[in-house]
Structures are given as C-alpha cells and as structure tokens.
Amino acid sequence: MSIAPTTETDEKPPPVVTAPRPGLWSPLRPLVLRLHFYAGLLVAPFLLVAATTGLLYAASFQVENLVYAHEMTVDPGDEKLPVSEQVAAAREAHPEGTVSAVRPSPEADATTRVMLSGVPGVDENHVLAVFVDPYTAEVRGALEQYGSTGALPVRTWIDEFHANLRLGDPGRLYSELAASWLWVIAAGGLALWFGRRRAQRRIRGTSGRRRTLGLHGTVGVWAAVGFFFLSLTGLTWSTYAGANIDELRTSLRQATPTVSAAVGGEHSGHGSGSAEGGVEHGVGIDVVLDAARAEGLDGPVEVVAPADASSAYVVKQVQRAWPTKQDTVAVDPASGEVTDTVRFADYPVLAKLTRWGIDAHTGVLFGFANQLVLMALAGSLILLILWGYRMWWQRGRASAFGRPIPRGAWQQVPPHVLVPLMAAVAVLGYLVPLLGIPLAAFIAVDVVLGEIAHRRNRRGGSGAAPERADGAPEEPGGSSTEAGGPSNDSNEAGGPTRKAGAAEDGSEAAEEAPREPDDAAEQAVK
C-alpha cells in the first residue's frame, strides 16, 4: 500500500518588510536645493565680479613690482644715510602737505617711503608716497598710495574695484553681499553633493547636464573650504557684518589692542621743533627709530608722526608675511624714551586669527604661494558660476532657461527641525544683515507669488488649468517638454509624486541607469 505524499512544505511565509523611516536629510533636501538654486542664481553676478577682481588682485603684487621698479628699488650702496636726511630730501622735492609717516628702507635694494598727507589733488583717503634712495637721498619719484599694505596706483585701482566697484562706501554693499552668501551657497552645494549616491557623482562616461553637474559638484567640493575662509575673512572688515563682528570681539575681550600715544608729565611737548607735530618734532625720527630698534622692532617698520605737540611717535612693525611681526611702541618726542609697548604675542586669540585671516585673504601672509591659492580659488569660483548657469540653461533643453525649483519645500520639514532652523537663520540674519535682508525679501516675494497663484486657481474652479510644481499653471494642451523638460521633473525638488528613477539632484537622469538623450533624439521626440 502506498502513501500519498503530503503537500505540506517547510517554507515559512515571507517576513513583513516595513519601509525605513525617512531620515533628517530627506525632508531638508528640497529646501536646501531650492536655497542653493536661487541663491546661486541671484547672487552669482556679484560673486562673479568679486572672483574676477580677486583673481586680478592676487596677481597685482607682481605687476606692481614690475611697473614701479624704478621707484621701489635701487642699487645697493655702502652705507645708508640717516632717515632724517632722506625725509629732508623728500620735503625739498615735495614741500606740499604734511609728513604723516615714514617707512625706512627695509632691504638693501629698497627705497625709503616718505608719506605726505593733505596733498592737493590726492584722494583724502590716500597719501602721496615719495620714494628716496637711502644711499644718496635722491628722490626717485612720487606715487599715490593706499592702505596699510602700501598699495600703489595699479594695485589700488584693482583693490578698490574689488572692494566697492570704485563707488566708495555705497559700493561696499556689493562685496559684503557676495561674502555674506558665498558660504551659504558653498554649504548647500556640499550638502547636496554628499547627499547624492556615489554612482551619481562620477563624471567619466557622462554627458550633457549630468556631466556639467558632475564638474560643478566636484570642483565645488574641493574648493568649499577655501570659499568658507574667503567668506568669513571678507566679512571681518565689511560695513555691517564687520561692525557686528567687532562688537562681538570687544564684548569677549578679543579686540585688537592699540598702543597709547598720549604723552604726560611736565616735559611733554618741550623741545619740539614743530608745534603741530611731524617727524621733525622733538628728538627727531633718528632717535625715535633707534629707540624702537632697541625694543626689538626689527624688520620693516613704519614711523607715524605725532598728531600734535602733546602726542608720541608710534613705531609699528609692518611685516605681515609669515612669521607675522606686528609689535608697536610709542616713543616720547621730548625724551626719546619708549612710553608704551604692545606685542603681537600678547594679542588675544581672535585678534591674532583676524590679523592672519585678513593677511591670507589679501595674499600677503605666505607670499607667492598664498597668491597662487587665491588665484586657484577665484578661478574655481568663476568656473562654478559658469557651470551653474549652464545647468540652468540645460534644464530648459537649450530652448529656454530652465524651470525654477518648486516652492513649498519648507512644508516638508518637521516642526521640531523647522523651528530651530528658523531661529538660527534669524540670528544669522541679524548678525549678517546682507544675508538676512535679501533672504527675508525673497521669502516675502515667494509667499506673495504663491498666494497669487493659489487664488488664481481657486477662482478658476474645476476648469482651471492644473498648477505645476513650480507654481505656474499648466497651459491646456501644452506639452510637458515645452520649455520645461519632461514631466517627471515637475516634482524633482521633493514633490510627493516624483516618478521612480528620477535623480536626487533634480536632473532628468535615472538613478540606477543614468542616461541623457542627445539633442537630436530630443528634438525628434519634440
């Protein structure tokens, strides 16, 4: 007798698979994408000007040395003359104005600079620098000079164009706007780059918008740290954010110390040669310089003349290349004694970091290597801006500019994340006004446009044209590819109905098998 086989099996029912809980990045990503897109789009022209002029400024030191070689250099002689004789020669050639400071020849082949203020025809913020041969007292020329780095006309022109478009204080708003937003754009790009799958970051074997995106992202990642540095250091001497930073440093007792130039006592002002001060005042510049050298102020120095008969000379080191030398002393013009000393070694930490940051930003901290890094960063920023605009164009399929990123991304952020984020943005907006004010203006305009679109659709009733994810109504019978690309992009910024396979960066390439149709095939589809 045979026994029928049983139909039971040892197979267990498949386990129930629960969808993984979305992480923090998933709801934040559309918001970061929208911010990165619009910030880059609107601020990029200012950044492009800042990057181009910054690139020129980084190269201006070598240009200055070539153009003004006759004024700045001499053939070394046997022995340098006393500085007072060099100043006298400069005054004989240029009696106009007042001697405000003197920079004795710092090297064997360098001239001495005698700075004159109040010279007719010279900008009130500039001085006239008279160049004197330290060995023969021959005056080799006179040029307008600007700033603590002693910039001559070529570098001054580039510097002022970079800082304020040569428009004075109102023009400084442009550079502060660029510095305020550069770190935001860089941070958003970093977040989007690392939030993408590794396969989507590659450049090799790609084409079209995907290749542009890969180049944009790769260069941006490598240059991001430099952009953060340029943004922060640029803000330290900006108009509004810079004032807030100075106030913060002062409240933390991290302000840059200054030497006291006040002279007290019954002998103050006695023995002066000029009631209005000047380098001829009191014991004279030679004795003052010797006193400063005895205090250890070696290297390049600047002797600042007393402001009046009751003020002291101020001698300060001006070497900003590494190692930084920024010691300062005050010297009594009556006795030639040092009355106050401030050492760079005693600066608070934030004061030192500010000094080094500004010097690195201007390319003087590490010399030519510093300038090469600045050139590379400026060139990278220019390329990133051009690639960014190209990607925007490619979103429109080369027939019109691309569609904007859909609004409403903030609604997907959980309240426990959104509320602290808004508080942090508010604080940053207060400390950095040219970040907060444009951001508030953008949000206000965006809300108004969204409300207008919502009311238009509500008035249209059921027969109204459906609204696309970017807030614009879809034209009846319009093709989804017309001036806007395929319809699977309409929710690329995190919309609820994004089609499977849409790339996380909002591009038309599929995640698993990315491909982008060439122009001929696309035109055939159209």
Side-chain angles (χ1 to χ4, degrees), residues 72-313:
M72 297 174 65
T73 59
V74 295
D75 293 328
D78 296 330
E79 185 178 355
K80 293 181 179 180
L81 299 173
V83 177
S84 58
E85 293 187 24
Q86 302 176 48
V87 173
R91 294 299 285 153
E92 183 179 356
H94 295 274
E96 66 275 16
T98 304
V99 178
S100 57
V102 178
R103 290 193 177 186
S105 170
E107 299 171 353
D109 62 345
T111 55
T112 293
R113 296 192 190 191
V114 179
M115 276 81 85
L116 307 177
S117 60
V119 177
V122 176
D123 189 289
E124 61 179 4
N125 296 320
H126 300 177
V127 296
L128 182 68
V130 182
F131 298 84
V132 182
D133 188 327
Y135 302 100
T136 64
E138 174 194 359
V139 174
R140 298 180 63 84
L143 297 168
E144 199 165 329
Q145 177 179 300
Y146 167 73
S148 58
T149 61
L152 299 179
V154 169
R155 186 154 59 94
T156 297
W157 194 96
I158 298 174
D159 182 17
E160 292 181 344
F161 194 80
H162 175 71
N164 57 34
L165 300 177
R166 296 186 60 81
L167 297 176
D169 289 339
R172 289 171 62 88
L173 297 178
Y174 117 84
S175 58
E176 184 169 353
L177 177 70
S180 299
W181 281 92
L182 177 58
W183 71 272
V184 177
I185 297 172
L190 276 178
L192 292 171
W193 177 255
F194 286 108
R196 299 174 69 210
R197 296 185 178 182
R198 183 178 297 275
Q200 291 179 302
R201 302 176 190 168
R202 62 187 179 88
I203 302 175
R204 184 176 301 176
T206 60
S207 61
R209 183 177 181 274
R210 184 171 176 79
R211 178 172 179 81
T212 307
L213 176 63
L215 292 170
H216 181 90
T218 301
V219 173
V221 167
W222 281 103
V225 174
F227 294 156
F228 287 135
F229 171 79
L230 291 177
S231 179
L232 177 61
T233 54
L235 288 174
T236 55
W237 75 88
S238 62
T239 302
Y240 298 106
N244 290 333
I245 293 174
D246 288 342
E247 184 178 345
L248 177 62
R249 287 175 51 200
T250 301
S251 64
L252 296 175
R253 298 183 179 180
Q254 295 289 310
T256 301
T258 57
V259 71
S260 174
V263 178
E266 58 180 347
H267 298 291
S268 63
H270 288 254
S272 62
S274 171
E276 299 180 355
V279 293
E280 302 88 358
H281 176 44
V283 296
I285 189 172
D286 295 325
V287 174
V288 170
L289 186 58
D290 290 341
R293 295 297 190 191
E295 283 292 312
L297 270 69
D298 56 351
V301 296
E302 178 176 298
V303 182
V304 181
D308 51 46
S310 61
S311 298
Y313 285 89

Side-chain angles (χ1 to χ4, degrees), residues 485-502:
S487 60
N488 67 333
D489 279 339
S490 62
N491 297 291
E492 64 187 24
T497 59
R498 186 176 64 184
K499 289 188 177 181

Side-chain angles (χ1 to χ4, degrees), residues 455-525:
R455 292 188 177 186
R456 184 188 298 121
N457 290 339
R458 188 170 58 182
R459 284 197 306 266
S462 59
E467 186 178 352
R468 295 200 311 261
D470 60 0
E474 190 77 43
E475 295 184 4
S479 170
S480 62
T481 61
E482 183 177 353
S487 60
N488 67 333
D489 279 339
S490 62
N491 297 291
E492 64 187 24
T497 59
R498 186 176 64 184
K499 289 188 177 181
E504 290 185 3
D505 63 343
S507 68
E508 292 76 8
E511 283 185 357
E512 300 301 331
R515 60 187 181 86
E516 185 161 329
D518 57 21
D519 294 340
E522 187 175 330
Q523 294 299 327
V525 172

Side-chain angles (χ1 to χ4, degrees), residues 308-507:
D308 51 46
S310 61
S311 298
Y313 285 89
V314 174
V315 185
K316 53 186 178 181
Q317 291 178 313
V318 292
Q319 178 175 311
R320 294 186 174 179
W322 190 267
T324 302
K325 293 183 178 181
Q326 292 286 295
D327 293 351
T328 308
V329 299
V331 181
D332 189 333
S335 63
E337 296 178 354
V338 173
T339 59
D340 192 21
T341 303
V342 174
R343 303 289 183 183
F344 183 74
D346 299 329
Y347 277 26
V349 174
L350 291 184
K352 287 182 179 179
L353 292 177
T354 300
R355 176 75 275 152
W356 288 329
I358 292 176
D359 293 340
H361 187 110
T362 55
V364 300
L365 185 60
F366 298 110
F368 186 60
N370 195 163
Q371 295 159 31
L372 288 178
V373 172
L374 292 177
M375 292 180 195
L377 286 174
S380 298
L381 185 54
I382 292 172
L383 289 175
L384 288 171
I385 293 170
L386 297 179
W387 283 329
Y389 277 116
R390 176 169 173 77
M391 282 191 296
W392 184 36
W393 173 265
Q394 289 172 325
R395 281 172 60 84
R397 290 294 193 259
S399 59
F401 279 118
R403 291 154 289 104
I405 303 299
R407 64 171 60 91
W410 63 272
Q411 298 174 352
Q412 303 176 39
V413 182
H416 69 278
V417 176
L418 183 62
V419 173
L421 183 63
M422 293 177 63
V425 170
V427 173
L428 277 174
Y430 174 78
L431 294 176
V432 188
L434 290 192
L435 170 64
I437 294 174
L439 181 59
F442 167 72
I443 293 174
V445 171
D446 195 52
V447 169
V448 170
L449 293 178
E451 183 64 20
I452 292 174
H454 176 69
R455 292 188 177 186
R456 184 188 298 121
N457 290 339
R458 188 170 58 182
R459 284 197 306 266
S462 59
E467 186 178 352
R468 295 200 311 261
D470 60 0
E474 190 77 43
E475 295 184 4
S479 170
S480 62
T481 61
E482 183 177 353
S487 60
N488 67 333
D489 279 339
S490 62
N491 297 291
E492 64 187 24
T497 59
R498 186 176 64 184
K499 289 188 177 181
E504 290 185 3
D505 63 343
S507 68

